[in-house]
Amino acid sequence: MDLCNLNDIRALLGRHGFHFSKAMGQNFLIDAAVPQAIAEGSGAEADCGVLEIGPGIGCLTAQLARRAGKVVSVELDKRLLPVLSETMAPYDNVSIVSGDILKLDIPALAAAQFSGLRPLVCANLPYNITTPVLSALIDSGCFESLTVMIQKEVAQRICAAPGTADYGAFSVYMQFYTAPEILFDVPPHCFTPQPKVTSAVLHCPVRQAPPVPVGDRALFFRVVRAAFAMRRKTLLNGLSAAFGSQLDKARLSQVLADCGFPAAVRGETLGLAEFAALTDRLAEQLTG
Ligand code: SAH
């Protein structure tokens, strides 16, 4: 059986009485070159344990199983479990975990499944939960890299440079913890059913150390959120809305001047180093 052949997929799913669920973000790949290129892009090798989210009928799972030491695939849709036990039968290094990736204890799963292996993530993600899934995977601190197919616009936002329209708090978060890079685009006709949007494969090697020194990480991300909360306003107004009860506008204005920023600077022009410098100055004022 060819797991990317539309006729084979229809026959398989028909036999199992399966119908696609939009709510679960189900768009299955039907172009064999794509899962091959995603698995290749993940860098999975024999010494790796790969966590996959949403295997569907297993076309990417099979490509990962050929490269990695072990593949653990978390699938929410119970109707796919009998399908996967049929399609994954040839692979003895694949385990299917029935569950919701957003409710699983990821560190516990990684510890139980990937001991002695380099843990990676590789997945064609359900697009409606891209942001919470990426955040949970990064916050788990378990993985060397994440290679995910997501909506192209979201991939562009994650990789965006300061001062561009795509740049936002999630760009800063992803670029702080990883070094994201778009590998290639995948057009709608590579899937069944076809999604309305173009997709892109994003490779995110997780940083071993922060790209800029940050004393108070929680404060850093509070500053970032404040900077983007009111995009059309100045950074001073954004900071004032978030920190106004602790520091008056004159003090905040002085903090910006101390950082060497123009008075009317906008938050979306700041890079990681500028946000780090701002965080340190604010921390001094907040504790001083
Ligand atoms: N990897 C397959 C299918 C991708 S579609 C392919 O490329 O062809 C997305 C998959 O994620 C579906 O199988 C869907 O059932 C599953 N899914 C959706 N929400 C999920 C969740 N919260 N946790 C785990 N899997 C989920």
Side-chain angles (χ1 to χ4, degrees), residues 3 18 21 23-30 35 38 52-61 74-77 80 97 99-103 123-129 133 149 191:
L3 295 177
F18 176 88
S21 154
M24 282 191 267
Q26 291 174 341
N27 302 96
F28 295 176
L29 282 163
I30 53 167
I38 298 174
E52 185 195 18
I53 296 118
I57 61 166
C59 67
L60 176 59
T61 324
V74 177
E75 176 54 60
L76 174 64
D77 191 344
L80 287 168
V97 172
D100 181 341
I101 188 64
L102 294 176
K103 293 190 182 144
N124 169 14
L125 287 182
Y127 294 172
N128 49 341
I129 55 169
V133 170
M149 181 151 62
F191 301 84

Side-chain angles (χ1 to χ4, degrees), residues 62 85 104 136 140 177 181 214 239 280 286:
S85 60
L104 276 185
S140 78
Y177 286 107
E181 176 198 3
V214 169
L239 291 178
D280 287 348
L286 288 167

Side-chain angles (χ1 to χ4, degrees), residues 74 88 109 139 147 193 222 224 257 280-281 287-288:
V74 177
M88 292 300 105
L109 179 134
D139 291 346
T147 307
R222 230 182 116 200
V224 170
D280 287 348
R281 293 276 177 177
T287 53

Side-chain angles (χ1 to χ4, degrees), residues 66 82 121 161 178 194 221 224 232 254 262 274 276 287:
R66 293 195 182 119
V121 170
T178 77
Q194 289 195 18
F221 284 108
V224 170
R232 309 211 174 278
Q254 189 56 49
E274 282 90 25
T287 53

Side-chain angles (χ1 to χ4, degrees), residues 167-218:
Y167 187 60
F170 197 56
S171 327
V172 176
Y173 170 81
M174 288 296 292
Q175 293 174 25
F176 184 83
Y177 286 107
T178 77
E181 176 198 3
I182 293 177
L183 299 183
F184 53 89
D185 291 351
V186 182
H189 66 76
C190 294
F191 301 84
T192 189
Q194 289 195 18
K196 290 199 172 67
V197 295
T198 296
S199 303
V201 176
L202 184 75
H203 180 62
C204 305
V206 175
R207 296 185 192 278
Q208 296 304 300
V212 289
V214 169
D216 182 341
R217 212 171 270 195

Side-chain angles (χ1 to χ4, degrees), residues 236-279:
L236 179 58
N237 280 331
L239 291 178
S240 185
F243 297 94
S245 62
Q246 293 158 281
L247 293 174
D248 64 30
K249 228 168 175 170
R251 297 274 291 280
L252 288 170
S253 185
Q254 189 56 49
V255 166
L256 295 182
D258 290 348
C259 292
F261 303 150
V265 67
R266 286 177 190 278
E268 64 260 32
T269 63
L270 269 52
L272 295 178
E274 282 90 25
F275 276 121
L278 176 56
T279 303

